[in-house]
Amino acid sequence: MTLSRPITQAASALRDKFRDVRAASLALAAPLSAEDQCIQSMPDASPTKWHLAHTTWFFETVLLQPYATGYRPFDVRFHYLFNSYYETLGPRHPRPQRGLLTRPSVDEVHAYRSHVDEAVLALLDSGAGERDWAAIEPIVALGLHHEQQHQELLLTDILHALSCNPLLPAYRPAAGPALRLAAVPPAMRWLPRPGGVVQVGHEGPQQGFAFDNETPRHAALLQPHAIADRLVSCGDYAQFIADGGYQRPELWLSDGWAAVQTQGWRHPAYWLAADDARLEAQQQQGDWQVFSLHGVRPMEADAPVSQLSFYEAAAYAEWAGARLPTEFEWEAAFDAPGISQMTGHVWQWTRSSYDPYPGFRPMPGIAAEYNGKFMVGQLVLRGGSVATPAGHTRPSYRNFFPPAARWQFSGLRLAKDV
Ligand SMILES: [Fe+2]
């Protein structure tokens, strides 16, 4: 079938995007050994190899099997191994046991990726008729945004795995020497924000891709408030610790204080005090050190604090005489004059529960299980982090994690009532 010129051009652009995103996943895994890529350090985190295979399974299952005539699965057993949580697609390997999958090997997973890549590119090249294009294009777009979400998880999960190793190995050495930034962070400024009705959420396909949880666009009522012009820094957070923040129950939500007690939290997840046994093993000294993708580095006072749970973010805000912004205050302030660090640093915890917007309808088909069924017991984070692929997020983008999660690049920005 001959496609119209606009569709041919759109298919060509989508092929290029597909190649780029798929290559980016392999590039992120490249610094890791086969042993690194098999490890699962906790049930919430997945092995690198599993991320590479699962994102491939997604294209195979949701795109190729329904739409690529004559497609032959690479290995039908992978359907069980690499389904994540799709109940409509049948039983699956238990999530906490993903680290037990020494087979298939990394090489076999790479072959699986190549097999599926070829079939997807062939489908986009000539296999799609005009009738199918309307169905195929949104699925490929969803699969690519899905893969980008797993690219960030690949980094957060391997950082957690490496943090469990007493050698504290670097994922990738830093390009240059560690910089010690100014010890005193620049003063934070409060930006006054008006109350009133604002429109929030994504406008729909005419505005580009969005996940279903960002829609429908709707009106939200804000009270007059103020929002911080920058993120809370490591230097700010060190003052909270020095002031006994982790020893003062009056600052904490009840569940958060229980987590402090049971988990022994005394600082953000990857901070190392001078008396930390792992730091001593490395014969390093000094003030706070931070384990990062580049290994152990001196804490940078100006850098946004990261790897915080919602509970820690809320306790810090209480200590600072402030609160966390709601997700709609955050979205309305996105373009405010003078505001900075809204994307590309850390995900910002908000005080908003991850709930459906008024009139929310899940995506059709198996993608209905993508977001909606997780809308209970989680908090919304906004913005995007250093680990988020460029161009992946939007002002309306809603990330979500349970309140105790602290292995993500998650920090905070303050807000307050006026
Ligand atoms: Fe997934």
Side-chain angles (χ1 to χ4, degrees):
M1 178 177 288
T2 305
L3 299 179
S4 69
R5 184 172 171 78
I7 291 182
T8 302
Q9 289 175 337
S12 175
L14 196 55
R15 274 201 305 278
D16 290 344
K17 177 81 174 165
F18 180 84
R19 285 195 193 90
D20 289 347
V21 171
R22 296 285 285 170
S25 299
L26 292 179
L28 288 174
L32 300 170
S33 69
E35 293 88 344
D36 291 334
Q37 294 189 46
C38 194
I39 197 170
Q40 181 176 27
S41 53
M42 62 171 171
D44 284 340
S46 296
T48 299
K49 188 173 70 176
W50 187 90
H51 286 301
L52 294 178
H54 161 72
T55 48
T56 305
W57 165 89
F58 191 89
F59 282 110
E60 183 172 65
T61 305
V62 182
L63 178 71
L64 295 176
Q65 291 186 331
Y67 292 102
T69 307
Y71 174 75
R72 294 167 63 99
F74 180 80
D75 187 327
V76 293
R77 300 172 301 171
F78 286 10
H79 189 76
Y80 177 83
L81 290 185
F82 299 122
N83 178 4
S84 51
Y85 53 64
Y86 293 89
E87 300 290 346
T88 51
L89 296 175
R92 70 209 70 90
H93 183 66
R95 177 179 184 133
Q97 296 175 24
R98 290 173 184 168
L100 303 181
L101 300 175
T102 58
R103 316 286 174 86
S105 68
V106 169
D107 286 345
E108 287 169 315
V109 168
H110 284 191
Y112 178 36
R113 289 182 68 88
S114 296
H115 175 88
V116 165
D117 287 354
E118 283 177 24
V120 172
L121 290 169
L123 178 65
L124 290 176
D125 195 31
S126 60
E130 294 211 16
R131 200 162 45 95
D132 279 351
W133 174 252
I136 287 171
E137 190 276 337
I139 295 173
V140 177
L142 176 64
L144 293 176
H145 284 84
H146 171 252
E147 181 134 359
Q148 288 185 316
Q149 291 181 316
H150 279 275
Q151 288 169 358
E152 174 151 7
L153 291 171
L154 186 157
L155 290 174
T156 59
D157 293 0
I158 197 64
L159 180 60
H160 185 267
L162 295 173
S163 79
C164 298
N165 186 328
L167 300 179
L168 292 172
Y171 158 76
R172 193 162 52 194
L179 291 174
R180 189 95 195 214
L181 300 180
V184 180
M188 189 199 79
R189 290 187 305 121
W190 287 107
L191 305 177
R193 301 288 301 159
V197 174
V198 294
Q199 295 296 314
V200 294
H202 195 268
E203 291 176 9
Q206 72 276 13
Q207 198 188 352
F209 178 87
F211 288 111
D212 53 6
N213 62 7
E214 302 167 54
T215 64
R217 189 165 172 84
H218 64 282
L221 176 62
L222 305 185
Q223 301 300 323
H225 61 285
I227 195 163
D229 69 332
R230 64 160 173 80
L231 298 171
V232 170
S233 70
C234 290
D236 297 332
Y237 200 83
Q239 293 175 30
F240 166 73
I241 298 173
D243 196 36
Y246 283 89
Q247 286 86 42
R248 294 170 53 184
E250 72 273 19
L251 299 175
W252 294 79
L253 293 161
S254 178
D255 288 353
W257 184 243
V260 168
Q261 303 304 303
T262 58
Q263 308 296 318
W265 291 347
R266 289 183 298 154
H267 48 71
Y270 299 141
W271 285 29
L272 304 166
D275 61 353
D276 189 293
R278 297 175 298 171
L279 205 57
E280 287 178 1
Q282 290 205 330
Q283 297 182 315
Q284 294 196 31
Q285 312 170 16
D287 300 321
W288 290 108
Q289 307 276 318
V290 180
F291 181 63
S292 72
L293 291 167
H294 300 314
V296 177
R297 307 283 297 266
M299 186 268 275
E300 297 177 0
D302 282 356
V305 64
S306 188
Q307 269 76 33
L308 288 186
S309 64
F310 168 80
Y311 295 135
E312 289 163 295
Y316 177 89
E318 182 71 20
W319 173 80
R323 60 172 173 79
L324 298 175
T326 70
E327 63 169 319
F328 300 143
E329 289 170 345
W330 188 97
E331 188 170 331
F334 187 81
D335 292 323
I339 204 157
S340 68
Q341 298 180 315
M342 288 299 268
T343 63
H345 297 273
V346 294
W347 288 101
Q348 300 163 48
W349 286 107
T350 74
R351 198 62 177 83
S352 298
S353 297
Y354 181 49
D355 283 328
Y357 284 174
F360 169 75
R361 287 289 175 273
M363 289 181 280
I366 72 153
E369 294 190 55
Y370 203 100
N371 282 311
K373 74 179 187 180
F374 300 111
M375 289 175 173
V376 65
Q378 310 208 52
L379 279 302
V380 173
L381 301 94
R382 294 296 196 109
S385 82
V386 287
T388 310
H392 176 67
T393 63
R394 301 161 287 283
S396 61
Y397 194 102
R398 306 172 81 200
N399 199 354
F400 52 93
F401 278 97
R406 63 196 310 243
W407 89 106
Q408 296 296 306
F409 291 93
S410 47
L412 75 151
R413 170 187 307 274
L414 295 175
K416 66 177 181 182
D417 302 318
V418 296

